[in-house]
Structures are given as C-alpha cells and as structure tokens.
Amino acid sequence: MRISLQLVVQGEGGVPATVNEIAQFQRDGLDVGSLGLHLEEAKSLLGRLQRTMVAAQVAEAVARTGMCPTCGAQLACKGHHHLVFRSAFGRLSIDSPRLYPCRRCQGDAATFSPIANCLPERVSPELQYLEVKFAALMSYGLTVNVLQEVLPLDHVLAASSIRRQVSTLGRRLEAAQFTDARRQAEVAASLGSPHIPEPSPIRAVGIDGGFLRSEPATDAARTAGLK
Ligand SMILES: [Zn+2]
C-alpha cells in the first residue's frame, strides 16, 4: 500500500490553490515494525512540511509587500539575498528581495528588505525554548544529542551554539527583570509608597558539568569526630 500526504495552500482573494505532495510511505503487511510512522519518516515529513509552509508564507508576504501601500504600484527589485533561519523543524534558507521604495510616493527613501524586516531574529522562539530548557536539565553536549535525535534540524548543532543561546537569553531575561523592577519602583513612587524593596542579593549560577571528589578524612578530623 502506498500512502501520500499532500499540502494544499489556499491563498486569499481567489488565488487558485496549490497542491504539494510532501511525503510518500510504502507499507506492506502489518507488524510492529511497519505500523504507523517511523521516527526518521516523521522527521523527514516535518522538515518537508516546514519548508513548504515557509515557502508559501514568504511568497505571500513578498507579493503583499512588493507593492506601494499608497498607490499600489509594483516596487522595483534591487537584488536578492538569502536569510538563514533556524527553526525547531529545520534550517531554512529564505529568499529575501531588496526593494526600491515607490519614487512617486516616498521620493528618495532608502531601499528595504521586507522579509528581513519581518524576521529580525533568525532563530525561532520555540527552538530557543527547547535549547535552553534541555540545557537546564543536562549538559550542552547531551542537549545537542537529544534535539538531533527527535527533530529534523538539518544542520550540525554544536554545544557552543547552545551555550551562546543560554547566555543570550539569560542576559535578555536579566534586562527584562531589571526593567520590570524599575517600572514597579516608579509605580510605587508615584503612589507615594514609603518603602521600595531592594532587589534580592541571591544570584543563581548554572554549571554545565563537573566532578566532585571525596577526600578521605584526615587523622586530625577523625580525632575531632569530624567527617
Ligand atoms: Zn506609490
């Protein structure tokens, strides 16, 4: 038996739907080894589904932003480059055109890249979440192994990139907490509160890995009854 999966993309405004076949599976007989999806098939399916969805979304965004919002004229293209975007379902290479603004409506304004403007960060929030979540539970090396085992990342994930991700998110969280604390202090001051609590002096430090060696107790310690 052959099983095919198709993705149907239905655009807005009467644009005809496009049908993309994203996977085919062959199954003969029924046993525990052939029942349902295999892990490698699921990873491949997710990767192809992600690439097809992203291509459709980017094409729609390019068509929408490639026209002057005031007069509707088609904007001239200066050139193309590719953005690399890392998602939980693969590393994506996205075509990003650079456009001239409408001369009639915007004069000599600088060229712009609408896709690059839509994607200021090049790593999906979900992949950042997974990397940091597992890095908090195990070493960076094991985090790499676990994520590559279950996700179609399509690229070599290095422990050093996990470390950088954790460091970057840690700085952002600290900055956000500092901003919240300052905002709370400003609100308290505006309400005439006589007491503004000081930030906690406790700091948490994460350690990727380490060894503890148990030293034998010295004679003096045994004599003193210490362990
Ligand atoms: Zn215009």
Side-chain angles (χ1 to χ4, degrees):
M1 176 174 61
R2 196 182 75 166
I3 301 171
S4 299
L5 286 181
Q6 293 180 328
L7 180 69
V8 181
V9 179
Q10 180 68 62
E12 302 285 341
V15 177
T18 59
V19 180
N20 301 279
E21 184 171 292
I22 57 172
Q24 278 188 10
F25 307 110
Q26 185 70 39
R27 290 292 186 272
D28 297 312
L30 178 65
D31 55 32
V32 292
S34 63
L35 183 64
L37 275 175
H38 299 159
L39 180 58
E40 285 304 317
E41 289 174 339
K43 288 166 64 176
S44 174
L45 171 63
L46 279 175
R48 293 196 64 181
L49 177 59
Q50 177 78 319
R51 289 192 292 275
T52 308
M53 278 189 65
V54 167
Q57 288 182 272
V58 170
E60 191 272 338
V62 168
R64 177 167 37 83
T65 58
M67 295 189 300
C68 174
T70 304
C71 69
Q74 188 73 34
L75 301 182
C77 180
K78 183 180 182 182
H80 292 257
H81 66 283
H82 282 84
L83 303 178
V84 174
F85 186 85
R86 293 199 303 127
S87 77
F89 306 116
R91 179 179 180 275
L92 305 160
S93 180
I94 299 173
D95 179 52
S96 172
R98 176 165 284 275
L99 305 175
Y100 290 103
C102 180
R103 297 297 180 203
R104 188 168 48 189
C105 302
Q106 296 175 288
D108 293 328
T111 59
F112 66 104
S113 297
I115 302 302
N117 293 343
C118 291
L119 303 172
E121 292 197 33
R122 305 298 159 80
V123 183
S124 76
E126 288 183 330
L127 182 57
Q128 293 182 44
Y129 166 77
L130 289 173
E131 289 180 347
V132 175
K133 179 183 177 70
F134 283 102
L137 300 174
M138 58 187 79
S139 72
Y140 297 137
L142 282 176
T143 298
V144 169
N145 292 342
V146 168
L147 293 181
Q148 287 186 330
E149 191 71 24
V150 297
L151 295 175
L153 295 178
D154 289 337
H155 63 280
V156 178
L157 188 61
S160 57
S161 71
I162 302 279
R163 186 183 298 114
R164 279 197 302 274
Q165 198 67 56
V166 170
S167 175
T168 301
L169 282 186
R171 284 196 295 271
R172 290 173 62 175
L173 281 173
E174 283 187 351
Q177 287 172 351
F178 176 76
T179 303
D180 286 346
R182 189 171 61 182
R183 190 176 299 126
Q184 288 174 4
E186 290 172 354
V187 171
S190 68
L191 295 175
S193 172
H195 175 66
I196 300 175
E198 292 292 330
S200 170
I202 300 173
R203 293 289 181 269
V205 177
I207 300 176
D208 183 26
F211 296 93
L212 294 177
R213 187 172 61 187
S214 175
E215 295 285 354
T218 64
D219 292 340
R222 291 195 194 94
T223 305
L226 301 174
K227 293 182 180 179

